Amino acid sequence: MELEGSELGTKEYWENSYTREIRNYQSHGDVGEIWFDEDSQQRIVNWLLKQENVDKQTARVLDLGCGNGMFLIALGNEGYTELTGVDYSPKAIELAKGIAKDQCLNINYDVADLTQSEPPNLGCYNIVHDKGTYDAVSLCPDNPKEKRTNYLKTVAQLLSDEHSLFIITSCNWTEEELLVSFDEFFVKHCSIPTPTFKFGGKVGNVVTSVVFKKRPSN
């Protein structure tokens, strides 16, 4: 199954969007939109804070498609110190760096495109987070299937070991669809409960949040 291509899957759209958000931030202090709303972001932060085996001082966290960086800001305010964000939009990184600086938080940011066949060398991490980035890759008008495969292969390489966590929140894919698409590289660790709705006698989720681990190598 392929999603219909959209401008949300293009770099040009995000460059224009973050150019406007930089102007708004500089003029009004408005950090811009938090993708899938602040509740979705806080739900992931709260889940991480409950994980007793995650050390806030040493866990290396990578936010993929970080946008304005507010997820990392939230973790930084909770005491996480090894934080990195990447986005393929230079304007997004410019905005994120400005917000982090103004909040006196030391967060690393880099421009990187993880959909290429030769991905950048970003190192390895204990926690990799995706909120809407896989969705955006899926909406790319050009070769979305190939780019999704490249993206997932790169994410698997970014995980330090089989105990590292890949946390994804999606509004375009159900948990069942993610399990099928991710099967080559990942195994499900757990689901993070999200709000449900009922329509036509069936129950669904507005967004899906799933935690994966790297599939053990044979």
Side-chain angles (χ1 to χ4, degrees):
M1 173 184 169
E2 293 296 329
L3 302 178
E4 184 177 350
S6 162
E7 64 176 359
L8 291 173
T10 67
K11 184 177 178 179
E12 181 182 12
Y13 172 85
W14 294 109
E15 281 287 87
N16 291 334
S17 176
Y18 285 114
T19 296
R20 290 192 300 272
E21 293 200 2
I22 287 171
R23 286 199 299 266
N24 289 337
Y25 181 67
Q26 291 173 342
S27 300
H28 311 293
D30 180 2
V31 299
E33 183 178 2
I34 294 179
W35 205 233
F36 299 166
D37 74 47
E38 197 166 348
D39 288 343
S40 291
Q41 174 175 289
Q42 194 58 44
R43 193 177 301 120
I44 304 302
V45 172
N46 290 343
W47 184 85
L48 279 171
L49 292 174
K50 293 176 184 176
Q51 306 311 301
E52 296 180 356
N53 61 334
V54 175
D55 186 340
K56 294 189 291 186
Q57 298 296 316
T58 60
R60 301 189 74 228
V61 181
L62 177 65
D63 190 19
L64 304 175
C66 62
N68 58 14
M70 294 311 295
F71 174 73
L72 296 175
I73 294 286
L75 288 183
N77 287 332
E78 293 290 349
Y80 281 78
T81 59
E82 298 293 326
L83 302 172
T84 299
V86 295
D87 203 295
Y88 75 168
S89 166
K91 289 297 182 182
I93 295 301
E94 181 181 339
L95 174 62
K97 284 182 175 180
I99 294 173
K101 181 180 178 181
D102 290 344
Q103 300 217 12
C104 300
L105 289 171
N106 184 23
I107 301 174
N108 301 309
Y109 288 109
D110 286 300
V111 177
D113 184 351
L114 277 63
T115 67
Q116 304 302 307
S117 57
E118 294 295 330
N121 182 12
L122 299 171
C124 292
Y125 297 83
N126 308 108
I127 299 165
V128 176
H129 173 256
D130 172 323
K131 179 159 60 70
T133 301
Y134 182 74
D135 287 357
V137 174
S138 302
L139 293 171
C140 180
D142 302 315
N143 301 319
K145 185 175 181 180
E146 177 185 349
K147 290 186 176 180
R148 285 204 314 274
T149 300
N150 289 341
Y151 180 79
L152 295 176
K153 183 178 180 180
T154 300
V155 172
Q157 293 170 351
L158 290 168
L159 296 175
S160 295
D161 52 39
E162 293 167 6
H163 302 290
S164 300
L165 304 174
F166 174 37
I167 307 170
I168 182 169
T169 299
S170 170
C171 70
N172 288 339
W173 302 100
T174 65
E175 178 173 322
E176 291 72 23
E177 289 169 332
L178 292 175
L179 289 174
V180 171
S181 298
F182 289 18
D183 183 65
E184 180 180 357
F185 302 106
F186 306 100
V187 292
K188 178 184 171 183
H189 174 59
C190 70
S191 302
I192 299 177
T194 61
T196 59
F197 66 90
K198 195 170 185 179
F199 182 76
K202 295 185 177 181
V203 177
N205 297 81
V206 178
V207 298
T208 297
S209 291
V210 188
V211 184
F212 290 91
K213 290 185 175 182
K214 185 188 297 191
R215 180 170 290 283
S217 54
N218 295 328

